[in-house]
């Protein structure tokens, strides 16, 4: 099992503010890092799959960066909206399996 | 619509009984997965299948069994040997088992064993 840590465990952000949080992982034998968004009462859905050091990916107001040498990825939410409230999961894979972190739960206050 | 279905949404069983959780996908995906979620923990992999008629143990396979007789179906049986079966169970699929393929998740089944 790969040790994937996410911090903080939860955060509150005011509507319109930007925020970011971290996923840390062992830097050896890296293959790919996944980010998923899990809204309450819904299924987790994929945001990004990142494979290259220095990768930056963007989907709307959400973006992610990857540093495989130091073993971390940041997820950024720009101009947070209530619909961004969710638990954000990162997962590491170095074979056919994903190892998930416990998630960062984001609550956007109107 | 294409997607993954899991049934039932809630399931209650008495201790000592085996129970089977259903997972069906119509995405034509080769790979399927079963995860378990417990409070405060990340999703943990129970079993996965890269292709029909083949499956491998994940990180916490003890007390569980699976079958993959059809491409679209990957049922999970929670046996009486599973010491702490009460949990939220998620099924997922991906086009292939390769590392760069995102996974598609079902809505989950919450199992309560008393």
């Amino acid at each position: 099992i790969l040790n994937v840590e996410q911090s903080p465990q939860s955060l509150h952000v005011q509507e319109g503010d930007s925020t970011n949080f971290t996923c840390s992982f062992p830097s050896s034998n890296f293959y790919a890092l996944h980010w998923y968004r899990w809204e309450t009462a819904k299924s987790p859905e994929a945001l990004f799959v990142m494979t290259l050091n220095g990768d930056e990916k963007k989907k709307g107001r959400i973006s992610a960066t990857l540093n495989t040498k130091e073993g971390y990825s940041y997820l950024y939410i720009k101009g947070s909206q209530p619909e961004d409230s969710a638990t954000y999961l990162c997962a590491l894979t170095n074979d056919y399996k994903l190892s998930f972190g416990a998630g960062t739960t984001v609550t956007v206050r109107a | 619509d294409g997607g993954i279905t899991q049934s039932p949404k809630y399931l209650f069983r008495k201790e000592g009984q085996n129970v089977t959780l259903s997972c069906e996908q119509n995405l034509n995906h080769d790979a399927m997965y079963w995860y378990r979620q417990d409070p405060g923990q990340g999703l943990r992999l129970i079993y996965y299948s890269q292709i029909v008629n083949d499956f491998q143990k994940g990180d916490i396979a003890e007390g569980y069994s699976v079958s993959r007789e059809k491409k679209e179906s990957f049922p999970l049986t929670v046996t009486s040997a599973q010491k702490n079966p009460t949990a939220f169970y998620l099924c997922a699929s991906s086009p292939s088992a390769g590392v760069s393929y995102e996974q598609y998740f079902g809505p989950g089944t919450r199992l309560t064993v008393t």
Side-chain angles (χ1 to χ4, degrees), chain A residues 1 31-32 34 36 38 43-44 46 49 51 89 93-102, chain B residues 33 35 37 40-43 45 48 50 59 88 90 97 99-103 105-107:
Chain A
I1 300 176
Y31 280 74
H34 296 220
Y36 292 84
W38 194 357
S43 306
V49 179
T51 56
L89 305 174
T93 182
N94 64 359
D95 52 25
Y96 298 114
K97 305 181 294 184
L98 288 180
S99 292
F100 282 84
Chain B
Y33 310 82
Y35 295 93
Q37 189 200 31
Q41 297 192 41
L43 299 179
L45 182 66
Y48 66 104
Q50 298 180 49
D59 300 316
F88 185 69
L90 273 172
V99 297
S100 60
Y101 290 100
E102 63 189 41
Q103 294 188 8
F105 286 85

Side-chain angles (χ1 to χ4, degrees), chain B:
Chain B
D1 282 4
I4 300 178
T5 57
Q6 291 185 244
S7 60
K9 188 173 182 179
Y10 298 96
L11 192 54
F12 298 88
R13 280 295 183 270
K14 295 289 187 185
E15 192 172 330
Q17 293 179 334
N18 292 355
V19 59
T20 297
L21 281 59
S22 168
C23 177
E24 303 279 330
Q25 55 100 356
N26 60 5
L27 300 168
N28 200 34
H29 286 174
D30 283 328
M32 297 188 74
Y33 310 82
W34 273 106
Y35 295 93
R36 168 183 172 138
Q37 189 200 31
D38 295 282
Q41 297 192 41
L43 299 179
R44 292 184 291 166
L45 182 66
I46 304 172
Y47 267 97
Y48 66 104
S49 168
Q50 298 180 49
I51 201 165
V52 66
N53 290 324
D54 183 59
F55 51 84
Q56 287 81 38
K57 293 181 179 180
D59 300 316
I60 55 165
E62 186 175 349
Y64 299 97
S65 66
V66 293
S67 63
R68 186 85 188 276
E69 297 176 1
K70 296 186 295 183
K71 187 175 186 177
E72 59 270 24
S73 180
F74 191 40
L76 174 75
T77 296
V78 184
T79 75
S80 56
Q82 168 51 232
K83 295 179 181 178
N84 297 295
T86 295
F88 185 69
Y89 291 86
L90 273 172
C91 178
S93 71
S94 63
S96 170
V99 297
S100 60
Y101 290 100
E102 63 189 41
Q103 294 188 8
Y104 296 74
F105 286 85
T109 292
R110 187 167 297 280
L111 173 65
T112 302
V113 177
T114 57

